[in-house]
Amino acid sequence: MAGPVFHGPDPRTVGWELATTRELKTLDETAGVRMATGLGASTAAMGAAPPFADASALVRPATGDEVPTGFTSGLWMRVPLVDIPVYLEYLVGRFTANGGVIEQRRVESLALDAPIVVNCAGVGARRLAADPSVRPIKGQQVVVENPGLDGFFMAVTLEHEYASYHTFGRHVLLGGVTLEGSWDPAPSMEVGNRILERCVKLEPKFANARVLGHRAGLRPGRPKVRLEAETVGRNRIVHNYGHGGSGVLQSWGCAQETAELALAL
């Protein structure tokens, strides 16, 4: 993943995204993060830059000849791109180096034997937190060898299937889809073929790029991010889920607010 994702309906998201972007800018490729310049394009007027794209993001409107066929406007942005597998490995290392312990087991209830419980269950919060507003939003990407591109392209659209690519050195992630209601986490070859077709139409260099794999996963959709604390018996529970496709972009800002809520008297 990564690249620009426009903010949601919660007014707190602007602060979360700016806090996260600031943190990501302190990291480098050893953590799976690098700064890259790319284009966000729309079939409508783009308007102002997204809130996370501050003055350092080198934002400028795209000229007419820079906007791909089928789009009417665009913005150039310089933002952090995050290679998720590398980034997660970095975060785990950082956590354990500071004394953190990861234990994997099945959790059926938030009524745990702990004074503070942080619920970041994602789509699992539908059952674990008894929250029927949580729904799966399936995403899928095709991983291909990089045919010599840099940066990224993102279609800014409300369509469920669109064209995007994000480059990470020797490989490129092609997207994308937002399939609501699907609980199947496995990649679909039919969806993957449609992704390839859209991206080849966007950038012909992908026509001969070797496919390295397919990735898919379930994003936790919700009308609004749930970031709040409640007390249940002796437990202080902080809920932090429902970010949809903006989880990485809002992660550090939400983590900071979650920690403040967890430690509040």
Side-chain angles (χ1 to χ4, degrees):
M1 149 27 241
V5 182
F6 291 90
H7 66 289
D10 193 316
R12 297 176 295 175
T13 60
V14 175
W16 295 337
E17 292 174 3
L18 288 174
T20 301
T21 302
R22 285 194 297 269
E23 182 67 28
L24 291 176
K25 287 179 178 179
T26 69
L27 304 178
D28 57 26
E29 292 193 42
T30 62
V33 182
R34 72 182 186 91
M35 296 299 296
T37 300
L39 177 65
S42 175
T43 56
M46 287 285 286
F52 65 83
D54 59 16
S56 66
L58 305 178
V59 179
R60 71 169 177 83
T63 60
D65 60 341
E66 293 174 329
V67 178
T69 301
F71 297 90
T72 57
S73 64
L75 285 174
W76 287 100
M77 293 171 277
R78 185 166 178 80
V79 299
L81 293 192
V82 182
D83 191 350
I84 293 299
V86 179
Y87 181 60
L88 291 179
E89 185 176 349
Y90 160 78
L91 291 178
V92 169
R94 182 168 167 173
F95 177 70
T96 56
N98 282 282
V101 177
I102 297 175
E103 177 185 343
Q104 293 187 345
R105 60 187 173 93
R106 189 176 184 87
V107 177
E108 299 287 353
S109 170
L110 293 175
L112 302 171
D113 185 19
I116 300 174
V117 177
V118 178
N119 171 26
C120 300
V123 291
R126 182 181 178 90
R127 177 178 177 182
L128 192 62
D131 186 348
S133 70
V134 178
R135 67 194 189 284
I137 303 176
K138 184 175 181 178
Q140 183 166 325
Q141 297 170 324
V142 180
V143 188
V144 301
E145 279 188 334
N146 193 339
L149 299 172
D150 193 17
F152 64 88
F153 174 86
M154 189 76 181
V156 182
T157 177
L158 297 177
E159 297 294 327
H160 294 299
E161 300 198 14
Y162 50 90
S164 70
Y165 68 81
H166 298 83
T167 63
F168 297 95
R170 296 182 178 179
H171 72 276
V172 184
L173 298 185
L174 308 182
V177 295
T178 54
L179 305 177
E180 297 200 25
S182 173
W183 284 97
D184 181 6
S188 160
M189 293 303 101
E190 181 181 347
V191 171
N193 288 336
R194 292 202 299 268
I195 290 173
L196 283 167
E197 289 174 6
R198 290 193 299 273
C199 288
V200 168
K201 184 177 180 181
L202 173 72
E203 173 49 75
K205 289 183 178 180
F206 289 127
N208 298 316
R210 184 164 67 96
V211 174
L212 303 178
H214 297 261
R215 298 178 183 175
L218 305 182
R219 305 179 180 112
R222 196 172 185 271
K224 182 179 179 181
V225 172
R226 187 182 185 189
L227 180 44
E228 61 185 10
E230 65 174 337
T231 300
V232 180
R234 297 182 178 181
N235 296 80
R236 182 171 181 80
I237 301 176
V238 182
H239 300 282
N240 179 18
Y241 64 84
H243 301 80
S246 299
V248 174
L249 181 58
Q250 298 173 4
S251 58
W252 283 95
C254 286
Q256 181 178 358
E257 187 167 332
T258 297
E260 292 170 354
L261 288 172
L263 300 176
L265 297 177

